[in-house]
Amino acid sequence: MDLILPFKVGDLAESKSFVKGYTGAWFRSKIIDMRVTESGHLEYYLEYIDYTEEENEWIRVFQKNPLSPACGEGKSSESTEIMLRPAFPHWYRGGQVPARFPKNELVASVCDTWKVGDKVDWRCSDCYWTAEIIRLNSRDVVQVMLLDPPMGEGGQHPAKKKDLRPALDWSIIKGKREILASCSSGSS
């Protein structure tokens, strides 16, 4: 079975990190080039949008998570993760949804009412961290819990609601992203 990823040179994407202090964080990037290495690994050459001081680098699309216990046990298929996902789609809050959309454009529409249990991407340190809302602190601030190691850095953090977006789960098999977050009709 041939694997065809929906990325091409010039596309915007998000790349994941296993670097300590940024484990599981997603970075906005632009695909500059692509190649298949002599060992058969697919790689993309990325330019980081929010980290302009960082040099462009080749990212292997599938990597073993070095922090995963499965990796240490030699279970490579269980510790292999996809390191690139499509750029986040245009998204609108509640009544902001336009009447017409460009053809074939993926769009997400959410309400502003975040609730405990919602899965979100939290923008902090110029990257996105997948988290779950665990408490509503105030009108503008929630408490989030980052993914635990080995998938993330773990820990609880206060997060401004304006820095949240719905967490989307992209399926390489289905070729689409699905909203993990939901919102209620109540007020926050």
Side-chain angles (χ1 to χ4, degrees):
M1 176 174 124
D2 290 331
L3 179 64
I4 300 174
L5 295 176
F7 307 114
K8 61 185 182 302
V9 172
D11 282 353
L12 298 178
E14 293 182 348
S15 61
K16 185 169 29 176
S17 173
F18 289 139
V19 173
K20 186 174 168 76
Y22 289 93
T23 304
W26 291 92
F27 296 85
R28 297 183 322 143
S29 23
K30 181 177 181 179
I31 298 172
I32 305 300
D33 200 359
M34 56 192 294
R35 68 182 180 194
V36 175
T37 65
E38 289 182 14
S39 59
H41 293 102
L42 178 60
E43 295 183 338
Y44 286 95
Y45 193 58
L46 302 180
E47 172 186 334
Y48 293 100
I49 294 171
D50 300 305
Y51 284 82
T52 55
E53 71 282 356
E54 293 291 323
E55 291 188 25
N56 297 350
E57 67 177 331
W58 287 100
I59 297 291
R60 185 177 289 177
V61 175
F62 297 98
Q63 292 183 27
K64 294 177 185 166
N65 183 338
L67 304 173
S68 171
C71 186
E73 296 168 5
K75 300 176 183 175
S76 64
S77 63
E78 292 179 30
S79 65
T80 301
E81 297 182 33
I82 189 161
M83 303 301 289
L84 200 65
R85 67 184 185 186
F88 199 83
H90 293 291
W91 69 292
Y92 303 91
R93 291 184 170 100
Q96 296 177 333
V97 179
R100 294 178 160 229
F101 298 105
K103 196 172 187 171
N104 296 329
E105 185 173 319
L106 181 62
V107 174
S109 174
V110 298
C111 65
D112 280 329
T113 308
W114 296 110
K115 67 182 186 307
V116 171
D118 281 347
K119 305 288 191 249
V120 296
D121 282 345
W122 170 45
R123 184 167 171 87
C124 178
S125 301
D126 290 325
C127 55
Y128 286 94
W129 303 84
T130 303
E132 180 176 334
I133 296 175
I134 59 171
R135 185 172 56 243
L136 305 174
N137 293 348
S138 69
R139 182 171 180 238
D140 299 321
V141 178
V142 298
Q143 193 77 10
V144 297
M145 173 70 81
L146 299 182
L147 295 176
D148 287 328
M151 301 303 292
E153 291 290 324
Q156 297 182 23
H157 303 273
K160 293 180 181 178
K161 289 182 179 180
K162 70 176 185 66
D163 295 329
L164 302 178
R165 68 183 190 187
L168 301 180
D169 187 27
W170 181 63
S171 169
I172 193 168
I173 303 301
K174 296 178 186 175
K176 65 179 182 178
R177 294 177 80 169
E178 299 171 350
I179 295 180
L180 296 179
S182 61
C183 56
S184 63
S185 57
S187 60
S188 62

